[in-house]
Amino acid sequence: MEPADLGNKTKVNEFILLGLTENVGLQSILFVVFFFAYIVTVGGNFSILAAIFVESKLHTPMYYFLGNLSLLDIGCITVTVPPMLVCLLVHHCRIPYAACLSQLFFFHLLAGVDCHLLTAMAYDRYLAICQPLTYSTRMSHEVQGALVGICCTVSFINALTHTVAVSVLDFCGPNVLNHFYCDLPPLFQLSCSSIHLNGKLLFVGATFMGVIPMIFISVSYAHVAAAVLRIRSAEGRKKAFSTCGSHLTVVCIFYGTGFFSYMRLSSVSTSDKDKGIGILNTILSPMLNPVIYSLRNPDVQGALKRVLTGKRPPS
């Protein structure tokens, strides 16, 4: 592709994504693997949504947030995987400049809401275990809606800021992205203008979208752990910890891969290792969430069985 001429400047009007591999034979295998992963992820998360809808026991704040998390996981994997599957199928991948920015925006929007929603879920567990007498009033339907609204607003501002900041960069040279979707580090690598401001914005964004939520989650669970350890009954401690274990597992997977991807601000180069981390962040985490939340939860398991068999919940 020849860059478009703009006076004495040139401007890239599309990018070429290298994807996961240039081996045509391996691309066919990867297509099957990731198509299966996509179907499992979407099916699993819709199953969680159906279980929450049909089971009255699951009409609680914790499962309200979990339902929103499932919707986000479906959106997150849909932004990245179907375009990648098309690329694997046709063995090359060209993405228009505007489509690349759109993918960047929606990925950061959905992943950002995910970050803050996990924080809201930690706050919910803190109130349920440490403040049980005032839980119903402190976590009313209005509060739940307000928390989700705040998560969406903060993430929207963050995603829009990064997208606008990238849109004003000049891309006048190579147009090959060493990744399987449009993201900040590989785009920075191709820019022929200064990315100093973008680096600062990425640092600020990582602080608000990653560091601060992690601090809130850590403080919430420190209080939860202290409260649980004061419970005399071993069965009571086990039950309290079981309601938090799934959420903590998801937090570790999500933030572990996210921090590794975006906190290495001293280098914007993209390697095959970064693509592997991208797979963990965009595919593996959304795929595992339904399994993690249903594995040790008899209420979710019972609701899923009723969804799959078509039986009505007991009155």
Side-chain angles (χ1 to χ4, degrees), residues 15 17 171 176-191 262 268-270:
F15 293 103
L17 297 173
F171 296 96
V176 179
L177 288 173
N178 186 22
H179 217 302
F180 62 93
Y181 65 95
C182 289
D183 202 6
L184 294 172
L187 285 169
F188 290 168
Q189 192 177 4
L190 294 185
S191 174
Y262 295 105
V268 296
S269 62
T270 307

Side-chain angles (χ1 to χ4, degrees), residues 65-236:
F65 293 127
L66 178 57
N68 280 277
L69 188 68
S70 292
L71 282 174
L72 288 169
D73 285 339
I74 292 168
C76 228
I77 198 170
T78 300
V79 166
T80 55
V81 171
M84 181 182 71
L85 292 175
V86 173
C87 294
L88 290 171
L89 200 60
V90 300
H91 306 303
H92 67 82
C93 194
R94 294 177 181 269
I95 181 169
Y97 176 81
C100 184
L101 290 187
S102 296
Q103 187 181 52
L104 175 74
F105 171 78
F106 283 108
F107 176 74
H108 280 270
L109 172 65
L110 295 168
V113 179
D114 225 330
C115 285
H116 289 284
L117 194 61
L118 289 171
T119 310
M121 293 172 77
Y123 176 64
D124 171 72
R125 291 299 83 208
Y126 160 74
L127 289 181
I129 294 173
C130 301
Q131 308 285 337
L133 298 179
T134 57
Y135 176 68
S136 58
T137 54
R138 290 194 180 190
M139 195 51 74
S140 63
H141 291 299
E142 292 77 15
V143 172
Q144 295 169 45
L147 287 172
V148 172
I150 291 170
C151 293
C152 294
T153 302
V154 174
S155 181
F156 176 81
I157 293 170
N158 177 70
L160 186 64
T161 300
H162 286 309
T163 305
V164 171
V166 169
S167 71
V168 299
L169 293 176
D170 292 323
F171 296 96
C172 49
N175 66 326
V176 179
L177 288 173
N178 186 22
H179 217 302
F180 62 93
Y181 65 95
C182 289
D183 202 6
L184 294 172
L187 285 169
F188 290 168
Q189 192 177 4
L190 294 185
S191 174
C192 55
S193 55
S194 172
I195 60 168
H196 180 69
L197 175 62
N198 301 80
K200 287 186 174 181
L201 289 174
L202 189 57
F203 181 82
V204 173
T207 302
F208 278 96
M209 307 306 292
V211 177
I212 293 176
M214 267 306 296
I215 291 172
F216 277 112
I217 291 171
S218 300
V219 171
S220 295
Y221 275 109
H223 283 89
V224 167
V228 170
L229 290 174
R230 287 196 296 267
I231 299 174
R232 294 182 180 181
S233 163
E235 186 64 30

